[in-house]
Amino acid sequence: MVASQGVKVSTVEKGAVKDLRANVRGEVVAPGDGAYEGARRVWNGSIDRYPALIARCTGAADIMAAVKFARRTGLPVAVRSGGHSFPGLSVCDGGLVIDLSLMKGIRVDPYKRTARAQAGVLLGELDRETQQFGLAVPAGIVTHTGLAGLTLGGGIGWLMRKFGLTIDQLLSVDLITADGEFVKASERENADLFWGVRGGGGNFGIVTEFEFRLNPLGPNVVAGPIFWPMEESPRLLRFYRDWIKEAPEELMTIVVHRKAPPLPFVPPELHGKPVVSVVCCYAGPIEEGQEVVRPLKSFGSPVLDLCEPKPFLVHQAMLDPSFKHGWWYYVRACDVAELTDEVIDITADHAMRIKSPMTAFPIWQMGGAVARVGENETAFNGRTAGYTFNITAMTETAEGFDEEREWVRSFWSALAPYHTSVYVNFLMEEGEERIRQAYGPAKYERLKALKRKYDPTNFFRMNQNIKPNAK
Ligand SMILES: Cc1cc2nc3c(=O)[nH]c(=O)nc-3n(C[C@H](O)[C@H](O)[C@H](O)COP(=O)(O)OP(=O)(O)OC[C@H]3O[C@@H](n4cnc5c(N)ncnc54)[C@H](O)[C@@H]3O)c2cc1C
């Protein structure tokens, strides 16, 4: 049997597939099944891979069965939770996808202020449960992103400057190893593994469930974007970098350059016009937040100001329509220490050259609670970064994609003299050297040693891979 594009599925014996179906409570999807086309698709529409089988797991037992099956058959394995890996690392050609997207269990304990979430949970699903109690796990900025992949790489977002990264809230994980065995990891149990999963991605096993500490938040916050014409960018960014130095840790900002999208909250006369916005979120009392953002609101003549008190859940969903499933995406990322005049001028110059009506690139303000955790306490690197650039090209289809991708590459290269590090969750498939840069040499060595202990055969390699014996 041939799936498509020449990928042979006959390498998996029929008897073995029957065996997997018998051992997995969830669905096992194969080429030719009605569910196959939908199940192989990931968020980035430019990724088009044809797995031999997809095991849609319902719990730890299914995952253990799937891992043991792959061991027996020798099939390569990809692990999928939210499917939002930029380079599409959660789907593979001709292998087994261990798909956790059906595992949606969430349990909030408002008394202990903890939450347990299974691997298939998306950010918006977790927020919905925790905000019911005025609590939150700091995570990302788009509700349909997977909690699992985001957490395993670190997790940056609106609340990080106040409360820290997503991994800084992690109390424990349940994990299935490359041998298909169940282990727990926390500060007390398998502490080395717990260090590694906080930033080291899916290199050491499949996390089935996360346990987080919760933080008080909202439900209302002062949040939203303020827009200026893009020609104002050099002046605005110079004002912004000085103003932000004095800002309290409650305030998190992201600068976005793009053509104004045709969304309901954007007046029609702005649609398609190049704009620069500073998106704010103040994780503290409303009156305080209003006072803090006042100077920014008074800078120049904003063309639109949507920064106001609103439910945190509303703010969290604001960017969702700008990152639709199935569009084509390409990303290059870097951290820089400061928004120097040179960095600002390069940014403004390249922003003016955006062609696609969808392309929008965020510059993340870092610091605050993120930087108060020691560099060596977790595998995450770059806690002292000043700003994270996530230069993203977006097109609706393949049309115009190559040109927009070239724009990304030239922008990223122009910033090269100012690169300090890179956030591992914003890497494409860029090779081992870039993964080493993402962790820095000392942490990379430590991760390699951990990989030799927990996954010496590199069974989990569809990820930002730490090769156990890399030179
Ligand atoms: C629209 C969008 C918005 C984003 N916003 C943010 C943001 O605000 N902050 C931020 O920090 N990052 C953000 N990211 C990056 C995001 O953190 C990564 O893309 C992350 O990998 C997504 O997780 P996922 O579960 O959806 O991914 P998947 O594609 O399912 O998996 C990504 C990687 O993690 C591995 N993996 C997944 N689940 C598990 C598991 N349970 N156990 C072990 N390994 C596993 C996969 O094998 C793969 O290598 C964003 C990405 C997108 C596309």
Side-chain angles (χ1 to χ4, degrees):
M1 182 175 30
V2 173
S4 188
Q5 298 208 338
V7 176
K8 289 219 165 66
V9 181
S10 53
T11 45
V12 187
E13 286 170 21
K14 280 212 177 102
V17 177
K18 218 168 134 194
D19 179 41
L20 179 65
R21 287 207 157 108
N23 284 299
V24 168
R25 185 157 63 96
E27 195 184 3
V28 174
V29 181
D33 292 347
Y36 182 77
E37 195 48 33
R40 76 176 185 87
R41 288 281 172 200
V42 288
W43 168 81
N44 187 345
S46 75
I47 308 296
D48 188 24
R49 300 196 181 123
Y50 292 82
L53 288 171
I54 302 166
R56 310 201 73 195
C57 300
T58 55
D62 281 2
I63 300 171
M64 291 158 102
V67 166
K68 287 176 180 162
F69 172 82
R71 278 266 179 228
R72 270 201 313 279
T73 56
L75 276 185
V77 161
V79 179
R80 176 202 176 115
S81 287
H84 273 46
S85 153
F86 286 109
L89 291 171
S90 39
V91 63
C92 54
D93 274 328
L96 171 68
V97 173
I98 301 183
D99 180 349
L100 315 181
S101 59
L102 299 179
M103 293 175 54
K104 294 287 192 189
I106 302 172
R107 185 173 183 279
V108 174
D109 185 333
Y111 300 104
K112 284 197 198 148
R113 290 197 168 175
T114 59
R116 295 190 69 86
Q118 285 187 314
V121 167
L122 306 180
L123 302 189
E125 295 162 346
L126 181 61
D127 286 334
R128 184 170 182 278
E129 294 295 324
T130 57
Q131 275 290 275
Q132 194 63 38
F133 303 98
L135 299 168
V137 177
I141 61 167
V142 173
T143 67
H144 49 71
T145 314
L147 176 70
L150 175 133
T151 302
L152 292 168
I156 65 176
W158 294 122
L159 308 177
M160 68 175 167
R161 285 175 37 83
K162 170 74 177 160
F163 300 117
L165 299 169
T166 312
I167 48 170
D168 298 334
Q169 326 304 315
L170 203 55
L171 297 172
S172 70
V173 294
D174 292 353
L175 178 143
I176 307 301
T177 65
D179 296 325
E181 302 301 329
F182 176 91
V183 296
K184 271 182 161 306
S186 68
E187 291 287 5
R188 291 173 309 284
E189 258 174 294
N190 299 308
D192 58 348
L193 180 59
F194 191 54
W195 178 86
V197 296
R198 286 176 293 164
N203 271 289
F204 308 107
I206 302 178
V207 173
T208 65
E209 199 165 309
F210 299 84
E211 183 189 10
F212 294 103
R213 181 187 309 114
L214 295 170
N215 306 278
L217 183 84
N220 287 329
V221 290
V222 170
I226 307 162
F227 295 83
W228 293 261
M230 203 190 275
E231 307 85 70
E232 289 289 314
S233 172
R235 245 166 43 83
L236 170 70
L237 290 187
R238 282 171 171 82
F239 163 81
Y240 164 82
R241 70 164 176 215
D242 298 336
W243 168 70
I244 213 71
K245 277 201 186 100
E246 306 302 322
E249 292 185 350
E250 280 77 8
L251 181 68
M252 165 66 194
T253 56
I254 297 180
V255 177
V256 180
H257 291 76
R258 64 165 306 154
K259 292 180 180 169
L263 293 173
F265 56 77
V266 179
E269 62 274 17
L270 273 186
H271 293 180
K273 297 260 163 56
V275 286
V276 52
S277 64
V278 180
V279 194
C280 303
C281 182
Y282 191 84
I286 297 291
E287 298 73 27
E288 235 176 69
Q290 284 170 318
E291 203 46 46
V292 167
V293 297
R294 203 183 301 283
L296 180 65
K297 283 169 170 268
S298 315
F299 176 81
S301 309
V303 287
L304 182 62
D305 181 351
L306 301 169
C307 184
E308 58 204 12
K310 61 186 69 157
F312 179 68
L313 290 181
V314 170
H315 177 61
Q316 267 294 64
M318 179 194 64
L319 293 175
D320 289 2
S322 298
F323 296 91
K324 282 199 179 145
H325 291 80
W327 286 356
W328 285 43
Y329 296 90
Y330 180 80
V331 177
R332 291 305 287 267
C334 60
D335 295 342
V336 302
E338 285 186 63
L339 294 180
T340 59
D341 286 352
E342 293 79 7
V343 169
I344 288 175
D345 291 342
I346 292 167
T347 302
D349 176 42
H350 282 80
M352 287 305 287
R353 288 193 244 151
I354 291 173
K355 287 250 164 39
S356 166
M358 286 115 182
T359 289
F361 71 90
I363 306 172
W364 306 63
Q365 177 200 3
M366 300 299 291
V370 175
R372 278 205 305 276
V373 176
E375 266 296 349
N376 294 321
E377 284 185 39
T378 65
F380 180 86
N381 205 40
R383 285 188 181 270
T384 55
Y387 298 86
T388 291
F389 276 70
N390 188 1
I391 309 173
T392 315
M394 312 183 195
T395 55
E396 204 167 342
T397 60
E399 204 185 321
F401 186 65
D402 289 352
E403 200 180 341
E404 209 68 0
R405 187 172 49 194
E406 276 318 304
W407 168 83
V408 171
R409 288 176 176 155
S410 92
F411 186 177
W412 181 85
S413 299
L415 286 174
Y418 310 98
H419 292 180
T420 53
S421 47
V422 59
Y423 174 31
V424 72
N425 269 356
F426 290 167
L427 284 178
M428 295 298 280
E429 283 189 275
E430 297 175 41
E432 193 189 327
E433 198 39 46
R434 286 284 282 160
I435 299 171
R436 196 187 291 267
Q437 277 171 21
Y439 291 112
K443 259 180 256 173
Y444 190 70
E445 287 307 312
R446 194 168 161 187
L447 285 163
K448 264 167 45 185
L450 205 58
K451 184 78 173 171
R452 285 195 291 274
K453 178 172 172 188
Y454 285 96
D455 184 17
T457 64
N458 205 6
F459 177 78
F460 297 114
R461 57 181 179 275
M462 286 292 292
N463 43 43
Q464 297 298 347
N465 193 225
I466 314 281
K467 293 196 178 65
N469 298 307
K471 293 279 172 264

